[in-house]
Amino acid sequence: DAGVIQSPRHEVTEMGQEVTLRCKPISGHDYLFWYRQTMMRGLELLIYFNNNVPIDDSGMPEDRFSAKMPNASFSTLKIQPSEPRDSAVYFCASSLGLSGLSSYNEQFFGPGTRLTVL
Amino acid sequence: KNEVEQSPQNLTAQEGEFITINCSYSVGISALHWLQQHPGGGIVSLFMLSSGKKKHGRLIATINIQEKHSSLHITASHPRDSAVYICAVIRVSGGGADGLTFGKGTHLIIQP
């Protein structure tokens, strides 16, 4: 398997523009996570899905952020309108399970999308 | 106070030294991850554990659930071990588990 795939790897845009980040999880994984990493706050969970259904979006910073998972093999994170403070690396991760005791629940991370909003 | 605290924040050591990175958490968890992030930015899961100890090569991770503490050890450290090591917990709250909550990371540099 190619692992978790994210696109684009780098995105530079101007304030006010719409930004769409894409993620393809590992086939068969039921959980998909979107994380954001900044120097100030480190890694933060934004939202996660189970079987394409959003379970917890309490980490989504504002209404400008939205995430969808139309099918088991694709998810998007959209920022509209973008602002300079949204500049960060956005990671997508997937796993077979979530809680529990086994490596079944290990999360596999994509390479990240480095977003710069000017 | 952060729910997940790591120490030290920065660590510089000589090649061959035994390294210990600590993680303390204040919430109920179902599992704890140790992640490695290399300078290129990619994140790799090293361990996921909920009790006892796990070993993989020169890496050892331990967890004490009662004390809410985990350690990551690196034996015979090597410059290629230089990376940021991140502790992350899967919190258990309310009706189920949440996603990962991360520590701030430990920036490790191993000098030749």
Side-chain angles (χ1 to χ4, degrees), chain B residues 72-86:
Chain B
L72 176 69
H73 306 285
I74 305 174
T75 62
S77 60
H78 189 276
R80 65 174 174 266
D81 297 326
S82 299
V84 177
Y85 292 84
I86 303 168

Side-chain angles (χ1 to χ4, degrees), chain A residues 14-31:
Chain A
E14 293 188 343
M15 184 174 66
Q17 295 298 307
E18 178 180 293
V19 175
T20 299
L21 310 181
R22 297 173 177 80
C23 175
K24 182 181 187 308
I26 292 174
S27 177
H29 281 193
D30 291 333
Y31 286 84

Side-chain angles (χ1 to χ4, degrees), chain B residues 25-106:
Chain B
Y25 53 92
S26 57
V27 294
I29 70 169
S30 60
L32 181 146
H33 286 254
W34 280 103
L35 307 171
Q36 180 190 57
Q37 187 171 30
H38 274 285
I43 296 176
V44 175
S45 176
L46 298 174
F47 295 103
M48 196 190 77
L49 67 167
S50 56
S51 64
K53 179 169 77 173
K54 286 191 175 180
K55 184 176 188 292
H56 181 71
R58 295 180 294 106
L59 301 177
I60 303 167
T62 64
I63 188 168
N64 185 317
I65 295 296
Q66 287 73 28
E67 295 184 3
K68 295 189 174 180
H69 180 268
S70 176
S71 293
L72 176 69
H73 306 285
I74 305 174
T75 62
S77 60
H78 189 276
R80 65 174 174 266
D81 297 326
S82 299
V84 177
Y85 292 84
I86 303 168
C87 171
V89 301
I90 299 177
R91 291 184 290 122
V92 179
S93 63
D98 299 322
L100 292 177
T101 300
F102 299 90
K104 296 293 187 187
T106 294

Side-chain angles (χ1 to χ4, degrees), chain A residues 44-55:
Chain A
E44 302 172 282
L45 173 67
L46 299 177
I47 185 172
Y48 78 92
F49 295 82
N50 178 23
N51 292 322
N52 314 338
V53 177
I55 301 300

